Every structure is written in C-alpha cells, then in structure tokens.
Amino acid sequence: MYLLKVRVDQHRCSLAVASKRCPIRAEIISYILLNDEDALFLVRTADSENVTEYIKEVERHKNTKFIQVLEKTPIEASFVAVVSDTTGIKAFESSYCFIKPPILVEDGSKIYEIIVPSTSYLPKAYANLDKVGSWKILEIKNIGERKAGLTEAQKKVLKVAYDLGYFSERRDVTISDIAMALGIAKSTAHKHLKIAISKLVEKYIQEKELEKSLLI
C-alpha cells in the first residue's frame, strides 16, 4: 500500500480558483459527491486576512451553486459549498485511489493525499489527472504493514555472512560456518539470513516500483 501527495491545478473548481485570485490556504475537511457534476465541500480557512475576500471570490465563481458560512472571524472561517466540479475527486476514485482528507487548497491547486493499494493503479489515475489539469507528485512512500527494516539478529547474521564470503562468487562458506561463527544453531542462522535477504529484495523491488511510477 502506498501514500501519495499530489498537487493538481484545478481551473474549474471555484475553491481552487479563488485561492489563486485571493492568496489563502484552505482545507477541505470532508466532501460528498452529490451527482456526476456537483460536490458538497466542508471547508475551513485559518490565519489569513483574506478570509472575507476569499469567500466572496468562491461565491462569485460560476461553478459555485451554493455557499453558506457556518462560522467566521476576521482571520478564519468554516463554510459549506456546492461546486460543479468533481473532476479531481473522480480522477482518483475511479482508479481505486482513496483520498485521505483534508485536501489542501492553495494557489489555484488542490493537494491530495492518496492511499493506493498497488502502484498498478497509478497509470490510470495519472491518465485521469491529465484531463483535469497540470499535476505533480510531491511525495510517494510505502506504508505497507511489513517493515523493510532488519532486526539486530538479522543484521548480525547478514554482516557475518558477508564478512566470511558467503555472498562471493565462490561462496567460500556455508550456513554451518556462519552458525558456528555466531555460536547459534544452523537452523537459526538459516532463518535469520533467509528473512534478511527477503526483506532487502522486497525493499529493492518496492523502491524500483516507486521510481517507475514517478516516471510515467
């Protein structure tokens, strides 16, 4: 499973457009897709002198169907808005990429955190994003349950195996030699070495998959 942070320029979404015309950072706390075109957004802004103007910009935009301020002070506000633009959300959801709120809105863009079961879903998501606007991956990382890190015992067996020449072309030593050097049972040495190698190979493949996804 992977976590991506993606910046998407959204020229049709009034929330994004208003943030470019009126510099501000806003957060979409939650959303509901009402139909193919319209979405209801719960939005929060904070620590900005442009809150009032931002809300006016959102309200004036042609794609804003409804807006209601829930709470407002001179520097922060929360409001709900119905906006005729579901393109960004659908670009991810239709390719089995799950959006993790909040969605950050700033400078004409939305920054999404996306959870993806596999990198195999990313090409479709990227193709969908091409239809929305310019986009850029800011971060991508593996959040799978299995950790690539090695235990101290695995590190020790791996290092001794390397130092004794287990990984050389001639493979001068055996598992028994490694076990004897460490003073542990052959079966224990074999288990630690096998798991350590498996973890390193898995980590290498995952990193290559991530690199490949960034180049698509």
Side-chain angles (χ1 to χ4, degrees), residues 101-175:
I103 302 168
L104 179 63
V105 182
E106 64 176 12
D107 195 27
S109 303
K110 289 180 181 176
I111 299 176
Y112 297 86
E113 280 197 329
I114 307 298
I115 296 175
V116 189
S118 166
T119 55
S120 63
Y121 294 104
L122 294 178
K124 183 178 179 181
Y126 296 162
N128 290 338
L129 288 176
D130 287 337
K131 301 172 185 176
V132 178
S134 300
W135 57 274
K136 181 181 180 181
I137 296 176
L138 304 178
E139 182 182 357
I140 181 169
K141 60 184 178 180
N142 185 285
I143 56 170
E145 291 183 1
R146 182 172 180 180
K147 305 297 183 182
L150 304 178
T151 66
E152 289 302 316
Q154 291 161 3
K155 289 178 183 178
K156 185 180 292 185
V157 170
L158 198 63
K159 186 177 187 308
V160 169
Y162 176 79
D163 290 343
L164 294 180
Y166 182 79
F167 297 107
S168 66
E169 290 185 10
R170 293 175 53 189
R171 183 165 286 188
D172 299 325
V173 296
T174 65
I175 296 291

Side-chain angles (χ1 to χ4, degrees), residues 43-129:
V43 185
R44 178 177 63 199
T45 67
D47 299 326
S48 174
E49 297 177 356
N50 300 317
V51 168
T52 300
E53 189 57 35
Y54 174 71
I55 293 173
K56 289 180 180 178
E57 287 286 349
V58 173
E59 189 171 15
R60 283 193 287 259
H61 194 279
K62 63 180 181 179
N63 282 356
T64 298
K65 288 190 169 182
F66 170 84
I67 186 168
Q68 180 176 334
V69 176
L70 304 176
E71 187 177 2
K72 183 176 175 297
T73 72
I75 62 169
E76 61 184 18
S78 58
F79 62 90
V80 292
V82 176
V83 178
S84 293
D85 180 32
T86 59
T87 55
I89 294 170
K90 290 169 68 175
F92 291 114
E93 292 191 349
S94 64
S95 51
Y96 303 101
C97 300
F98 305 98
I99 298 171
K100 180 176 176 287
I103 302 168
L104 179 63
V105 182
E106 64 176 12
D107 195 27
S109 303
K110 289 180 181 176
I111 299 176
Y112 297 86
E113 280 197 329
I114 307 298
I115 296 175
V116 189
S118 166
T119 55
S120 63
Y121 294 104
L122 294 178
K124 183 178 179 181
Y126 296 162
N128 290 338
L129 288 176

Side-chain angles (χ1 to χ4, degrees), residues 14-50:
S14 57
L15 300 174
V17 173
S19 72
K20 192 172 186 69
R21 294 177 179 173
C22 180
I24 198 171
R25 286 168 62 95
E27 289 183 334
I28 297 173
I29 306 303
S30 62
Y31 64 86
I32 300 173
L33 296 183
L34 302 176
N35 51 52
D36 285 342
E37 297 295 328
D38 302 327
L40 173 67
F41 296 103
L42 172 59
V43 185
R44 178 177 63 199
T45 67
D47 299 326
S48 174
E49 297 177 356
N50 300 317

